[in-house]
Amino acid sequence: MKLALVGIGGAGCRLVDAIRGVETAGDRKLCYGHLLTVDISRTVDDDFDHVPSENHVTIGDTHREVDSGVDGDQDLAVEIIRTDFPEIHRTLDSVPLRKLDGVLVVAGLGGGTGSGAGAVLVERLQDMYDKPVYVLGVLPGESEGGRPALNAARSLRSLVPAADSVVLFDNDRWVSGDDADRYERANRELASRIVTLFAREDTDPDAIGANTMDSSDLIRTLSPGGVASVGYAATDLDDGGGFLSWLRSILPGGGDDESDEPTDAVKIQSLVRQALNSRLTLPCEVSSAERALVVLSGPPEELSRRGFESARQWLEEETETVEVLAGDDPRAGSSTVSAVVLLSNVTEVPRIDSLQRRAVEYEGGTGHAETVPATDESD
C-alpha cells in the first residue's frame, strides 16, 4: 500500500521520522519519500534523521502567543492551523496524493498540536482528496495528567467521524521506565508494526501469488471506520530449528515429543495466535472487532494455503466475525516468519473508557489538575 505520511505536532513528526527510518532500512516500501511533517513553533525543528528539511513545515511562527509550541492548548492549535493552512497546502502540492492509495496522518493525541491541529488537518485532507485518510494516534499515559486526557478525549470525538479509520497506540502499554529513550523505543516498535502491516516489497507482478495481500484488502478491512488495533508476532529461522522449537514451546504438549513435528497449518495458526495475544497497540476486546485481517510474511515455502485457511478460521472464531481476510507477504530468503493482525472498528476498549472518565473529572474540576510534565511526547 502506498501512503503519504503526514506528521502533526512534535510526537507525530518524530513518529513519521521513525516510520521512514524503518522503511529505508529495509526493502519494504510505504511512502516512497512522500512525507510531510508539521509543527507549531517559532523555531524550525530540524533534528530529524529521515525527514528532509524541505518536507518540514513550521506554522504559528508569527503568532504572538506561540513560543516553542502551544503548551497543550488545543484551541490555540486549531486557530493557528486554520490561519496558516495555506503554508501546509503549498507543500502538499508537491506530494502526488492522487497517485497514492491514501494518507496516514500521524499525531500524539495528548498534546495541543497533535490533538487540535490534527483533527483540522484530517478534515481539510478529506475535502481535498478522494482517497482514504487514516490516522495513527498515540494516546497519552495516565501519569501525564488530566489535561492530556482531556485533549485526547476531545480529539477522538473529532477524529473518529472524520477519518476513514483511526489506528491507536496506547503509551501506557508500551512506554516503561524513566530512561531518556523510552519514547524512542516505543516509536520504533510502533513504526515496525506499521511498516509490516502497510508496506510491501517491490515485486515482479508475474511473481505475485493468489494469496498475496494488496491495498484493496487493507482498504476493505479499514472501511467500517472507527478505532483499530494491531498485533504482531515474529520468530527467527536462523538455525533451521528455531521456528519449530519456538512452536513446540507454545503448543499444548509440544515439548513432550520432539519427533512430533507440527503441521504447516498448526505452525501458522500458532503464530497468528501469538500475534493476537501479544501486546496489541491498543488493548481491546477482540470479539468487538467488526473486521479483521492477518498478513503472514516469510519464505514462500513456509506460507501454505492450508495454513492460511486455518489461521483465518481461527481468527473468525476469536473475533466472532466472518469478515476476516488473510494473505501473505512472500519474502524469498527471509530468515524470519511473522504475522500481523489488524482489528478494525473495535468497540470495547477499556483504555478509552478510562481516558474519557479522566477527561470528565478534569474538565469538571473534580480530578487533579496536574501540571503536564515536559516530555518528548507533549505536542
Side-chain angles (χ1 to χ4, degrees):
M1 195 171 190
K2 299 177 181 179
L3 294 173
L5 298 179
V6 182
I8 181 75
C13 293
R14 283 184 288 275
L15 189 45
V16 164
D17 191 56
I19 294 171
R20 179 59 174 161
V22 171
E23 179 188 20
T24 55
D27 52 11
R28 287 183 170 97
K29 302 299 182 183
L30 177 60
C31 74
Y32 294 80
H34 302 309
L35 72 169
L36 172 68
T37 54
V38 182
D39 204 1
I40 296 175
S41 177
R42 288 186 182 276
T43 58
V44 177
D45 186 357
D46 58 358
D47 60 348
F48 304 122
D49 295 321
H50 306 284
V51 178
S53 58
E54 61 268 24
N55 291 76
H56 181 77
V57 178
T58 299
I59 59 175
D61 49 330
T62 61
H63 198 286
R64 64 183 181 279
E65 296 181 50
V66 170
D67 185 13
S68 59
V70 296
D71 194 25
D73 189 334
Q74 194 177 60
D75 295 328
L76 177 58
V78 169
E79 175 189 336
I80 290 170
I81 192 171
R82 285 177 175 166
T83 301
D84 290 1
F85 190 77
E87 294 292 327
I88 301 172
H89 197 173
R90 277 193 287 272
T91 305
L92 282 171
D93 282 342
S94 65
V95 179
L97 291 176
R98 289 181 175 82
K99 296 182 179 180
L100 304 178
D101 296 310
V103 184
L104 181 64
V105 175
V106 185
L109 303 186
T113 302
S115 65
V120 175
L121 178 60
V122 169
E123 292 171 356
R124 295 292 179 90
L125 288 170
Q126 292 283 29
D127 291 339
M128 292 165 58
Y129 305 106
D130 59 358
K131 298 295 180 69
V133 178
Y134 304 117
V135 172
L136 175 59
V138 179
L139 297 179
E142 287 283 351
S143 63
E144 294 183 49
R147 187 173 186 177
L150 177 60
N151 282 344
R154 292 177 64 189
S155 181
L156 286 173
R157 286 198 295 268
S158 300
L159 285 173
V160 171
D164 287 272
S165 186
V166 179
V167 180
L168 290 180
F169 183 80
D170 181 13
N171 260 345
D172 268 356
R173 286 293 297 270
W174 290 87
V175 178
S176 60
D178 56 4
D179 52 308
D181 66 345
R182 62 192 184 280
Y183 288 107
E184 185 178 345
R185 285 200 309 271
N187 282 349
R188 288 196 299 268
E189 290 284 349
L190 178 54
S192 65
R193 281 156 174 76
I194 293 300
V195 171
T196 303
L197 175 63
F198 287 107
R200 291 293 172 268
E201 184 177 3
D202 281 339
T203 308
D204 180 354
D206 294 333
I208 297 176
N211 293 330
T212 302
M213 190 67 61
D214 63 23
S215 59
S216 64
D217 297 311
L218 284 160
I219 292 171
R220 177 183 169 186
T221 303
L222 292 168
S223 63
V227 168
S229 181
V230 179
Y232 175 81
T235 187
D236 292 332
L237 298 171
D238 52 348
D239 60 1
F243 190 27
L244 292 180
S245 298
W246 175 79
L247 284 168
R248 291 190 183 103
S249 72
I250 65 173
L251 289 171
D256 298 336
D257 183 3
E258 291 190 4
S259 65
D260 185 16
E261 182 175 313
T263 65
D264 288 345
V266 174
K267 295 177 189 179
I268 295 298
Q269 186 184 106
S270 299
L271 190 62
V272 173
R273 183 185 295 116
Q274 182 77 356
L276 196 64
N277 294 333
S278 66
R279 287 188 297 178
L280 293 168
T281 58
L282 177 71
C284 61
E285 177 56 52
V286 172
S287 62
S288 72
E290 183 172 344
R291 293 184 181 179
L293 174 145
V294 56
V295 181
L296 303 167
S297 177
E301 62 271 17
E302 297 287 346
L303 309 178
S304 71
R305 185 173 182 83
R306 184 164 174 259
F308 281 120
E309 289 304 313
S310 175
R312 186 184 61 78
Q313 291 171 8
W314 179 82
L315 200 53
E316 283 182 1
E317 294 173 0
E318 292 297 305
T319 57
E320 300 179 7
T321 177
V322 295
E323 294 283 352
V324 176
L325 295 177
D328 69 3
D329 175 24
R331 303 177 65 75
S334 173
S335 61
T336 301
V337 176
S338 67
V340 59
V341 176
L342 171 65
L343 304 175
S344 77
N345 198 22
V346 293
T347 55
E348 295 182 29
V349 187
R351 181 69 179 89
I352 292 181
D353 295 338
S354 173
L355 191 74
Q356 291 173 335
R357 287 193 299 269
R358 185 73 180 276
V360 169
E361 292 173 356
Y362 179 82
E363 192 171 30
T366 59
H368 298 291
E370 302 96 335
T371 300
V372 181
T375 70
D376 283 345
E377 303 298 288
S378 59
D379 275 342

